[in-house]
Structures are given as structure tokens and as C-alpha cells.
Amino acid sequence: MSIRMAASAPLIMRIMASSLSIAEKAGEVIRDIMSTGDLNVVDKGQKNFDPQTEADRKCQQIIIGSLSKQYKDLKIIGEEGAEDLSKIPQELIVDKIDSQFLEQYKCPESFKDISENDLVVWVDPLDGTGEYVAGFVENVTVLIGIAFRDTSIAGIIHQPFFKCATTNKMGRTIWGLKELGTSGYNKKSPPENKLILTTTRSHSNEIVNATIEAIKADEVLKVGGCGFKVLQLLEGKAHCYVFASPGCKKWDTCSPEAILEADGGILTDILGKHYNYGPNVEYPNRTGVLATAKGIDHESLLERIPIATKESLIKKK
Ligand SMILES: Nc1ncnc2c1ncn2[C@@H]1O[C@H](COP(=O)(O)O)[C@@H](O)[C@H]1OP(=O)(O)O
Ligand SMILES: [Mg+2]
Ligand SMILES: [Mg+2]
Ligand SMILES: [Mg+2]
């Protein structure tokens, strides 16, 4: 595809195609920094340990620097704070665009006339930092989510330490756009006649645990990262993701929500409401996360969440 043809594709498709290339580069950097053995960890936490590594910082610069260069009016919010674009080293800027994506997929009618001012991009440069530091590298993902007027519509999840069984290639990229579909993973339904719940590995507390207890799942998986848990739903490894805590932020859920919903699943708070991803919202997802795989009854899981859990998260607002 010529540069001119790529430039004529609808905006949402171009942002996705750029983000696919940018996320791959971020994944390379995440692997490279791990291989140096020095993650250069800083604690961002006020009360509890909240690690940030060299990879979180560098990947945020890659993603925000590269998207801002190509899309000047785009509002981009990243977990690691505001970036001074003039201080981002040139070698971190990716100007490649995934032309194969643009050739292969057509923009859904409803998103054809979107302008940069209608969008917010939510960036989690490294989701699962605690797991990156602890060595559970499979849980680590790069998340780029795109919201159109308050609603999450598109997402990219890059998993840097996924090893392809046939080619041995490291890293895979999953994407989803509502009304178009999803790609990049093994689409599978979870097993019938049993309920597998996935939840936090490192951020549990009394309410988180009491809520899991009340759901009465047959199996509980404890893994890190919002991106990784939604991947488990997409690949049929779990039926639901339950996190009754205000710990996740908009950059954690924006991309996974769009991909899961483009696949037929649902991601809401534990009251059943979708989060608002508009330009001026607060960052914390104060009323938790409940996500269900395609074909799983979201409503019936909502009913299993204790009233005490709901009241306690509403009170914390
Ligand atoms: N209490 C918390 N403090 C900081 N980040 C949190 C907290 N709870 C959840 N998160 C973010 O949400 C992700 C999913 O949570 P969990 O792994 O506990 O299920 C975490 O990897 C972390 O993102 P990040 O690693 O990008 O900082
Ligand atoms: Mg995160
Ligand atoms: Mg992060
Ligand atoms: Mg973090």
C-alpha cells in the first residue's frame, strides 16, 4: 500500500495500524530491558508498593511520542503521567504503520467520520509491572485503548513474552474494534458445566476475597494484569474476571474492554455499568471490574456479587 493510500484510510483504522507497530516496538523494549537484568524500579505508591520500571517509563515515551507525532490533536492519557514531547529521544519514535492491517480490514460505517477531537487514547505502557518484577513475564502486556465520545471502541493488547509454538517468535499482538471484530489469539469458549474465575494475584483484600467466595466458582485462577486476565477470557481459560477493588484505572480496562466486547463478551464495573472513558474522567475504576467471556450470562454473575461488596465500593467513591 502506498503512503498516499494509507493516509486516505479512516482515522480510527490509521490509529490502530500505527498502534500495532508501536506496541510491537514497546514489546521489544520490555524484553530488552528484562535481559539487561536491571529493571531500575521506582516505588510510586503512597500507602502500598506500586512499582514502576525503566520499561514502564520508556514504553510510555515510545507510545505517546509516536502517536502524538502522527496525530497532533489526539488526546492521549498514559499511566506514567504527562510527557514532555520535546524530551522524548528521536530513536524511540516509531513512524511505521501496519499497512497489512489497512489493506485487509474495512472501517465500520459508524466510525468512518471520526475526528481526532472525538477520541481519547488510554495507554498502559506495561500492564502487570508487579509480575514483570517478580518474573511472571507471561502476565505482562502493553495496552492501547481508544475511546470515542466516552465509550471504549478499540484496543490493542501486545504480549511481549508470548512464544509462538510453531515459529518460536516472541510476542503477539491482539486487536479488536467494535462492529469489525478481533484478531491475534486462539478464539475458544470456556468449558461447559463449570465456572472458572480469574482474579488478581497481588492486589487482594478482604472485600476482593469475600466477593470471590460468594461467586462459588469451581476454580479460581490468580494471575497479574488486566490485559492478561481478559486474554484468558478470550481464549476460553476462564469464564469471568472479578475484581471488587478500586485498584484498576481507565488505562487498564479501556483496551481489554473494547477487545472483549468486539469478541462478544462484556466488561463493566461490579454494578453492571460501563465505565466512561471521556477526556475529563477520573482515572480510578472505583467500582471494580466484572468481565465475562462471550456466551456467559453477565447478569447472573452480577446477581452473585454480595450487596455488601457493592455498598462498600460505592461508599469509597
Ligand atoms: N492497588 C493497585 N495499585 C496500583 N495498580 C493497580 C492496583 N490494582 C490494580 N492495579 C493495576 O491493574 C492491573 C491489574 O490488577 P491485578 O494484577 O491486581 O489484577 C495491575 O497490573 C495494575 O496495573 P499496572 O501493572 O499497569 O500498574
Ligand atoms: Mg495496568
Ligand atoms: Mg502499567
Ligand atoms: Mg503501574
Side-chain angles (χ1 to χ4, degrees):
M1 175 182 279
S2 69
I3 292 175
R4 237 196 33 224
M5 270 174 77
S8 69
L11 178 68
I12 186 73
M13 301 303 277
R14 280 187 286 126
I15 296 176
M16 285 193 73
S18 301
S19 300
L20 290 168
S21 303
I22 295 166
E24 295 260 340
K25 166 77 176 176
E28 263 172 55
V29 165
I30 289 171
R31 287 191 299 270
D32 288 351
I33 290 176
M34 179 56 95
S35 71
T36 67
D38 181 11
L39 302 183
N40 195 353
V41 180
V42 171
D43 182 8
K44 301 190 289 181
Q46 274 143 11
K47 268 196 299 195
N48 302 311
F49 180 54
D50 185 12
Q52 181 203 61
T53 70
E54 183 65 27
D56 297 70
R57 296 184 285 274
K58 204 162 168 186
C59 290
Q60 167 144 319
Q61 288 196 315
I62 291 171
I63 300 167
I64 296 191
S66 305
L67 284 175
S68 310
K69 190 165 173 220
Q70 294 175 50
Y71 308 99
K72 301 240 173 324
D73 292 325
L74 199 54
K75 172 140 186 165
I76 308 171
I77 303 173
E79 175 181 351
E80 311 312 337
E83 288 295 335
D84 180 345
L85 297 179
S86 67
K87 293 211 171 114
I88 299 182
Q90 187 52 38
E91 70 265 21
L92 297 187
I93 303 298
V94 178
D95 41 30
K96 250 177 66 190
I97 186 156
D98 188 329
S99 55
Q100 211 186 327
F101 172 82
L102 291 178
E103 275 162 28
Q104 199 172 345
Y105 298 101
K106 269 184 74 179
C107 184
E109 279 304 317
S110 2
F111 304 139
K112 268 193 170 150
D113 299 317
I114 290 178
S115 76
E116 287 182 25
N117 296 315
D118 295 321
L119 299 173
V120 181
V121 178
W122 291 92
V123 175
D124 188 343
L126 197 163
D127 183 47
T129 304
E131 284 67 28
Y132 184 58
V133 173
F136 299 108
V137 292
E138 195 201 3
N139 296 182
V140 168
T141 59
V142 176
L143 304 176
I144 305 176
I146 306 167
F148 170 49
R149 296 192 186 135
D150 302 349
T151 305
S152 169
I153 60 160
I156 280 140
I157 299 179
H158 178 76
Q159 191 184 21
F161 294 98
F162 176 85
K163 189 172 176 184
C164 174
T166 48
T167 64
N168 277 347
K169 183 180 169 270
M170 290 300 284
R172 63 169 172 172
T173 307
I174 290 100
W175 62 260
L177 172 60
K178 287 192 184 164
E179 296 180 38
L180 176 63
T182 59
S183 182
Y185 57 96
N186 179 22
K187 289 185 194 185
K188 213 172 155 212
S189 302
E192 281 175 33
N193 306 322
K194 94 194 260 200
L195 181 67
I196 307 171
L197 181 156
T198 186
T199 191
T200 183
R201 183 193 71 88
S202 62
H203 295 109
S204 57
N205 58 37
E206 246 174 66
I207 301 166
V208 165
N209 289 333
T211 311
I212 294 167
E213 239 350 85
I215 304 253
K216 304 232 171 297
D218 300 293
E219 256 180 71
V220 175
L221 310 175
K222 296 193 171 180
V223 299
C226 186
F228 186 71
K229 281 188 268 295
V230 168
L231 261 177
Q232 290 184 310
L233 299 183
L234 292 166
E235 295 197 311
K237 293 181 177 147
H239 300 73
C240 62
Y241 164 16
V242 183
F243 186 51
S245 152
C248 281
K249 320 288 186 310
K250 298 292 178 299
W251 44 75
D252 290 302
T253 50
C254 184
S255 156
E257 177 179 325
I259 301 174
L260 183 65
E261 299 209 346
D263 184 78
I266 299 178
L267 188 149
T268 65
D269 68 1
I270 53 110
L271 309 169
K273 266 185 36 218
H274 280 97
Y275 281 110
N276 179 329
Y277 295 94
N280 302 310
V281 295
E282 60 163 8
Y283 301 152
N285 289 338
R286 289 190 197 274
T287 36
V289 177
L290 174 70
T292 43
K294 178 181 182 173
I296 305 306
D297 186 354
H298 197 78
E299 280 301 315
S300 82
L301 278 157
L302 274 173
E303 282 164 17
R304 293 195 203 182
I305 304 220
I307 292 176
T309 296
K310 295 178 179 167
E311 281 175 348
S312 129
L313 291 191
I314 293 167
K315 230 184 268 161
K316 281 195 181 144
K317 265 189 148 181

